[in-house]
Amino acid sequence: MSYVKKNLVIFGTRPEAIKMAPLVKEFQKHKDFETKVCVTAQHREMLDQVLNFFGISPDYDLNLMKPNQNLYSLTADIITELKPVLEDFKPDYVYVHGDTTTTMAASIAGFYAGAKVCHVEAGLRTHDKRSPFPEEINRQVTGRIADYHFVPTQQSKENLRIENIKEDHILITGNTVIDALLYSSGKVDKMENGEVQKLEVLLKGYQKMILVTGHRRENHGQGFINICEALKTIALQHPDVQIIYPVHLNPHVQRPVREILSGISNIQLIEPLAYPAFVWLMNRAYLIITDSGGVQEEAPSLGKPVLVMRDATERPEAVSVGTVILVGTQKDKIIAETHELLTNNNKYHKMSSLHNPYGDGKASERIVNFIRSL
Ligand code: UD1
Ligand code: UDP
């Protein structure tokens, strides 16, 4: 009788869920694996939106999110609450994704339990431990602990090689975000989606739409005030442009955004969107302004220019292919670059060619084949 390998896939936030869902679905196709899902629920509503869309029911739900939570207790709670799960299921392999507190804490817990730790979306680096904060360190710590590293690009493999990770423990897979994007693009057109119909109404009468998202911890405080003041100026300078901003539920984001941007007729502050509706909106956008990691990866595949409100990015590939410009959080720079893209057609068209530096949609398949081959 052949041995069934036991997988525990652990995630907790919206982006991890989007990027791990295709892997969960791929493992579930194969009978030589027993695959269970554990969510820390570091996010609650924004996680549940993704679980609903992909039809994933977690086997374990730690339900840890607290309003305005902090890094200290969240980290401690995740490690503590994973202990009984790991002791109950006894996985051979624990899968973590990316760079969140869930990622870092779950990799430590998986290591304590004696499982092989598999890091999906490994090897991204800014080499600046305060940017993104605390994600750069979360990813580096996870990289130290992990046994197997699934990297999206050659550049991320190189980053790990420099850190003396064994080459045969690294696999270039592409990013599972492209697997998710392809899965959702196929669905959204066919959907009777109430959310999409509401968005259609917001777009009516405007020539162009700018889609905005933002949440990074290092931008909390003055950074967000600058961002919001820049958006306000852009809206007033360009009344023919609609700005749509699905506002992240973090109270440190909600507060400045709603205080500074409420009541402006061409700025729509809306709730976080379910993934397929957000993909639909990205497709309809003229330009995206964001500090998100995932959106930076999706945009090149959709041919959408992105202004990234960060000083450094661990995703240099999209900057190299020309889709992304880093603008930081300086008000004047955000206003100037946006104005340029709204008015300079040549520059806009150069930035909006289609590229796929992050993969071909087969990342999950490659990961499954690799684990099977061990
Ligand atoms: C977290 C991750 C960040 C990731 C981001 C994706 C860490 C340290 N941060 O940041 O790496 O890029 O998620 O969005 O791991 N909240 C809700 N409902 C939700 C989600 C959040 O109310 O569904 C509110 C809660 O008050 C919560 C707060 O947002 O306490 C902060 O959530 P947290 O996960 O700690 O930080 P994020 O800024 O979401
Ligand atoms: N996203 C979504 N709904 C929204 C905003 C974003 O589904 O209202 C998706 C987006 O397509 C991307 C992911 O969420 O796949 C990015 O998440 P976020 O920006 O919160 O985190 P990051 O990628 O910066 O870690």
Side-chain angles (χ1 to χ4, degrees):
M1 204 182 86
S2 66
Y3 174 69
V4 173
K5 290 176 174 170
K6 288 165 75 173
N7 292 325
L8 186 63
V9 184
I10 305 177
F11 51 87
T13 65
R14 169 174 67 190
E16 293 164 81
I18 291 170
K19 293 165 167 183
M20 285 297 232
L23 181 63
V24 170
K25 292 191 152 300
E26 189 63 32
F27 270 128
Q28 285 172 344
K29 288 183 197 161
H30 299 280
K31 298 270 177 289
D32 46 340
F33 294 105
E34 182 185 2
T35 301
K36 291 198 174 184
V37 172
C38 173
V39 295
T40 62
Q42 175 178 334
H43 284 174
R44 186 71 274 171
E45 300 88 337
M46 287 159 56
L47 171 75
D48 291 344
Q49 281 182 317
V50 182
L51 294 173
N52 286 341
F53 171 63
F54 285 96
I56 293 175
S57 312
D59 301 279
Y60 303 95
D61 187 336
L62 307 184
N63 199 22
L64 289 177
M65 193 193 88
K66 296 195 177 74
N68 206 6
Q69 63 206 0
N70 66 75
L71 296 175
Y72 306 86
S73 58
L74 178 64
T75 305
D77 288 349
I78 294 170
I79 297 177
T80 308
E81 297 298 320
L82 278 174
K83 180 172 181 278
V85 173
L86 290 157
E87 288 176 351
D88 175 54
F89 184 50
K90 299 183 182 62
D92 301 300
Y93 299 93
V94 160
Y95 298 80
V96 295
H97 180 280
D99 61 7
T100 69
T101 294
T102 289
T103 317
M104 190 260 299
S107 67
I108 293 173
F111 168 64
Y112 289 165
K116 296 282 186 203
V117 175
C118 304
H119 190 194
V120 181
E121 199 189 80
L124 282 65
R125 296 286 183 271
T126 60
H127 302 290
D128 174 352
K129 69 180 181 186
R130 305 218 167 265
S131 175
F133 174 88
E135 290 86 0
E136 174 71 8
I137 286 299
N138 285 344
R139 210 187 285 269
Q140 289 196 23
V141 168
T142 306
R144 281 283 114 222
I145 294 169
D147 295 279
Y148 300 110
H149 309 256
F150 299 110
V151 299
T153 66
Q154 183 65 44
Q155 170 75 60
S156 33
K157 177 173 178 178
E158 190 54 23
N159 291 337
L160 292 182
R161 229 187 37 73
I162 293 166
E163 294 174 12
N164 292 324
I165 305 284
K166 284 189 198 149
E167 195 145 353
D168 58 350
H169 287 212
I170 308 172
L171 180 72
I172 301 179
T173 57
N175 198 310
T176 57
V177 77
I178 306 298
D179 306 21
L181 192 62
L182 295 179
Y183 176 88
S184 86
S185 309
K187 298 245 176 318
V188 76
D189 294 339
K190 292 185 209 117
M191 280 168 49
E192 286 285 326
N193 194 325
E195 241 175 335
V196 165
Q197 280 157 12
K198 279 188 213 151
L199 294 170
E200 290 271 21
V201 174
L202 298 182
L203 294 173
K204 244 192 199 134
Y206 288 94
Q207 289 182 357
K208 290 174 180 160
M209 181 266 288
I210 299 177
L211 177 59
V212 178
T213 77
H215 66 83
R216 300 242 78 83
R217 265 183 167 67
E218 66 275 12
N219 291 346
H220 291 175
Q222 191 58 43
F224 260 96
I225 294 172
N226 296 347
I227 291 169
C228 292
E229 285 178 349
L231 293 173
K232 189 173 179 175
T233 305
I234 294 164
L236 298 176
Q237 283 177 353
H238 300 275
D240 54 334
V241 173
Q242 175 74 298
I243 296 178
I244 303 190
Y245 186 167
V247 189
H248 193 288
L249 295 179
N250 191 324
H252 296 281
V253 177
Q254 288 276 338
R255 215 174 300 118
V257 169
R258 295 201 180 273
E259 266 173 31
I260 301 172
L261 296 179
S262 293
I264 300 170
S265 64
N266 58 333
I267 298 186
Q268 301 298 327
L269 304 178
I270 61 175
E271 295 295 305
L273 288 166
Y275 183 58
F278 188 77
V279 172
W280 182 90
L281 202 58
M282 278 194 288
N283 264 310
R284 291 293 295 268
Y286 179 80
L287 166 68
I288 301 174
I289 305 180
T290 188
D291 64 16
S292 161
V295 176
Q296 282 178 68
E297 293 158 345
E298 290 157 343
S301 293
L302 304 173
K304 298 295 170 181
V306 186
L307 300 181
V308 171
M309 299 179 292
R310 299 194 194 188
D311 297 322
T313 180
E314 66 283 50
R315 295 169 170 91
E317 297 85 355
V319 179
S320 302
V321 298
T323 310
V324 162
I325 299 178
L326 293 183
V327 292
T329 54
Q330 279 174 43
K331 184 179 161 185
D332 293 346
K333 176 108 173 129
I334 299 170
I335 296 169
E337 290 289 356
T338 304
H339 181 75
E340 177 74 2
L341 283 169
L342 286 171
T343 53
N344 181 338
N345 279 341
N346 274 348
K347 182 163 179 177
Y348 181 81
H349 287 298
K350 267 190 203 138
M351 277 185 80
S352 54
S353 349
L354 287 183
H355 293 285
N356 54 358
Y358 298 112
D360 58 2
K362 296 199 167 97
S364 309
E365 208 177 300
R366 292 190 183 98
I367 294 170
V368 171
N369 289 340
F370 179 91
I371 297 293
R372 176 174 284 134
S373 74
L374 291 173

